[in-house]
Amino acid sequence: MNAQQNPPLSSLDTAAARNLATTTKTPPQMQAVSSRWLLKILPWTQVSGGTFRVNRRLTHTLGNGRVEFVTTGRQVSVIPAELTELPALQGFDDEEALAALAERCVQREYAAGDVVVAGGTPVTEVLLIAHGKVQQLAPGPYDSERSLGILADGEYDGDRALTGGPAEWPHGLTARTRCTVLALPLDAVSAVADRSAALRAHLDGVASRPVPRQNRRGEAVIELASGHVGEPVLPGTFVDYELSPREYELSVAQTVLRVHSRVADLYNEPMNQVEEQLRLTIEALRERQEHELVNNREFGLLHNADVRQRIHTRTGPPTPDDLDELISRRRKTQYLLAHPRTIAAIGREWNARGIYPTPAEIDGTVLRAWRGIPILPCNKIPITPEGTSSVLALRTGQENQGVVGLHQTGIPEEYEPSLNVRFMGIDDQAVISYLVSAYFSAAVLVPDALGVLEDVEI
């Protein structure tokens, strides 16, 4: 049987017609582009000299950091040098004595609901929270307990007893999750101090040191008089400044863009190949810029929030109570930033309680909001392997003593503000090279401009 033959065409075939037609095409698309809300909301301050100095009033701080631990199997131990984060041991540098104190810490495990310390009992040890959440509870005015806050990984309590603090616990401690706590007995501290003259002298010096007068923010007090009559002697005062204010240097994100000269010469219709390569490269640089503004250990927001502005969720998921606690830590909270999955977890808590807050609108975009504060998605905020993340609360602007972005405009061969593209030449293989650089940083002008809700279960 003969194979069936196709009938002859009576019109031009579409395959042939495409050779003469101009296809409709899009510019190159990029999946990694995000909304980059942080770059949009930060007011950008010009840093002409490349360095930005933040001058503040003198603040009296004593060991307000967090203690770090190491884990070997189920055994948890404190890093000896980290004990200097305790106010009584700040500035103490005898490694042998610190190691002896670390060795005497006793590991304890608590289940959720266990009483770690009962209020009113004698203080016999310093408690270091290695893992989990512990709630501070004190008697309330109406025969009920009131919460004084949550202690979590790296925080501590009872440390004032090292320098003759209260002999009894003014509050109780109750485990809210499974907890690992290291207890440093005061008897062990005394035993080490009896053998270490340096430790004994340091503790005695801290106990006898006069407590500087300070306001509720820890700043050196400004002496004032009010409500007086007659002609009393008015107090003299001055406003003291930090002698070594922090300085922020502009960071840089860079890459070398390479384009073959043949591509740049012959394939520029209908789209300029070099321009499209630059556009996509700059998108990637801006994504990295936002990542660094969140995660960089030198100036990133997650690592530069003051310890007193870091709080933990009461239970795990981000409840409305946790958001209220977060925004109450500062005046004029303007924005909340969270990973999209965290925002979904917040929405679930709202739905469970039957709460439907009024959304907010920024630049024509409708966003979820809490108490009128927009919650902006930021996928640069990391999610831990355990499924926890963080929520950032910001007040922005130099006039508000808030968080500001830092950049320098007017740099040579500037392509966008604080971003330049510099021609590096053509190599022996006819490849054109361009150096693409973005300069940026961020500064927190006062500690309460930035807060973090940590360990949010999503």
Side-chain angles (χ1 to χ4, degrees):
M1 181 181 294
N2 294 332
Q4 184 177 1
Q5 297 182 351
N6 293 326
L9 296 176
S10 61
S11 63
L12 181 65
D13 184 69
T14 56
R18 287 183 59 190
N19 294 329
L20 300 181
T22 301
T23 60
T24 301
K25 59 183 71 67
T26 69
Q29 305 298 298
M30 183 173 177
Q31 296 185 64
V33 175
S34 65
S35 55
R36 298 200 293 264
W37 278 107
L38 181 58
L39 300 187
K40 296 175 183 177
I41 64 173
L42 280 183
W44 291 92
T45 299
Q46 171 73 355
V47 183
S48 299
T51 302
F52 184 76
R53 178 181 297 160
V54 179
N55 290 311
R56 292 178 178 172
R57 284 181 56 190
L58 178 64
T59 302
H60 300 293
T61 57
L62 288 175
N64 60 351
R66 291 184 178 178
V67 181
E68 294 185 7
F69 306 85
V70 292
T71 303
T72 306
R74 297 183 61 85
Q75 183 66 33
V76 179
S77 57
V78 63
I79 300 173
E82 288 294 313
L83 289 174
T84 58
E85 294 293 344
L86 300 176
L89 295 177
Q90 187 183 42
F92 183 65
D93 57 1
D94 188 325
E95 296 181 2
E96 183 178 348
L98 291 173
L101 292 176
E103 290 174 358
R104 285 162 171 76
C105 290
V106 180
Q107 180 176 340
R108 296 177 186 157
E109 304 289 338
Y110 296 93
D114 288 352
V115 175
V116 180
V117 165
T121 58
V123 180
T124 60
E125 54 196 12
V126 179
L127 300 179
L128 311 175
I129 314 300
H131 178 70
K133 297 180 181 180
V134 175
Q135 188 170 24
Q136 296 174 313
L137 296 170
Y142 302 106
D143 298 327
S144 62
E145 290 184 319
R146 61 189 179 94
S147 175
L148 301 180
I150 297 288
L151 300 178
D153 303 5
E155 296 181 301
Y156 47 82
D157 206 350
D159 54 287
R160 287 178 294 176
L162 292 173
T163 54
E168 294 183 348
W169 286 97
H171 52 261
L173 298 176
T174 301
R176 286 301 173 216
T177 64
R178 182 176 58 83
C179 296
T180 299
V181 177
L182 296 187
L184 176 59
L186 298 182
D187 293 342
V189 176
S190 298
V192 175
D194 290 340
R195 297 199 304 271
S196 172
L199 178 58
R200 174 62 66 188
H202 180 85
L203 293 176
D204 291 344
V206 173
S208 60
R209 185 185 304 160
V211 179
R213 294 195 62 192
Q214 51 189 288
N215 61 21
R216 63 188 179 90
R217 296 295 187 183
E219 298 172 327
V221 71
I222 299 176
E223 301 288 352
L224 302 170
S226 63
H228 50 275
V229 295
E231 299 178 351
V233 177
L234 298 179
T237 191
F238 68 97
V239 181
D240 206 356
Y241 301 136
E242 288 185 354
L243 295 179
S244 301
R246 179 170 179 180
E247 295 183 346
Y248 295 84
E249 293 185 358
L250 291 183
S251 181
V252 62
Q254 291 179 307
T255 189
V256 176
L257 173 64
R258 295 183 173 92
V259 182
H260 200 286
S261 59
R262 184 187 309 162
V263 173
D265 291 341
L266 303 179
Y267 297 94
N268 278 335
E269 292 295 337
M271 299 175 192
N272 187 296
Q273 293 284 355
V274 175
E275 289 295 326
E276 291 301 321
Q277 289 283 305
L278 273 177
R279 180 179 65 83
L280 297 176
T281 301
I282 291 172
E283 290 282 3
L285 277 178
R286 293 304 189 192
E287 291 290 327
R288 175 60 64 86
Q289 177 179 348
E290 186 175 64
H291 179 274
E292 293 295 312
L293 290 174
V294 173
N295 297 288
N296 188 283
R297 300 198 70 86
E298 294 296 324
F299 57 85
L301 300 184
L302 279 179
H303 298 284
N304 282 268
D306 190 89
V307 173
R308 292 165 293 183
Q309 296 296 327
R310 297 177 180 271
I311 65 173
H312 302 272
T313 58
R314 285 168 166 76
T315 55
T319 65
D321 299 329
D322 297 322
L323 296 179
D324 281 341
E325 175 71 13
L326 178 62
I327 64 178
S328 69
R329 292 297 183 99
R330 71 202 44 76
R331 57 181 172 85
K332 197 179 178 182
T333 301
Q334 294 174 283
Y335 305 102
L336 298 172
L337 268 76
H339 193 280
R341 288 178 59 188
T342 306
I343 296 177
I346 292 172
R348 288 194 295 271
E349 293 300 312
W350 290 349
N351 295 338
R353 300 191 181 198
I355 299 174
Y356 305 100
T358 303
E361 183 176 330
I362 300 180
D363 297 334
T365 302
V366 178
L367 301 158
R368 290 187 177 185
W370 179 250
R371 308 292 188 192
I373 303 170
I375 305 177
L376 307 177
C378 179
N379 62 357
K380 311 307 186 302
I381 299 176
I383 296 176
T384 67
E386 294 77 22
T388 62
S389 188
S390 302
V391 179
L392 297 175
L394 293 85
R395 180 179 68 247
T396 62
Q398 197 163 346
E399 68 284 356
N400 292 326
Q401 296 183 322
V403 180
V404 296
L406 307 177
H407 70 175
Q408 184 179 145
T409 59
I411 58 179
E413 300 179 61
E414 190 172 57
Y415 191 85
E416 290 183 359
S418 200
L419 182 148
N420 63 359
V421 179
R422 312 196 77 169
F423 175 68
M424 297 177 62
I426 305 175
D427 63 16
D428 293 340
Q429 296 175 319
V431 176
I432 307 171
S433 296
Y434 299 90
L435 176 63
V436 188
S437 308
Y439 299 94
F440 58 90
S441 187
V444 182
L445 300 188
V446 295
D448 77 339
L450 172 65
V452 182
L453 178 64
E454 297 184 313
D455 298 326
V456 176
E457 294 182 8
I458 61 175

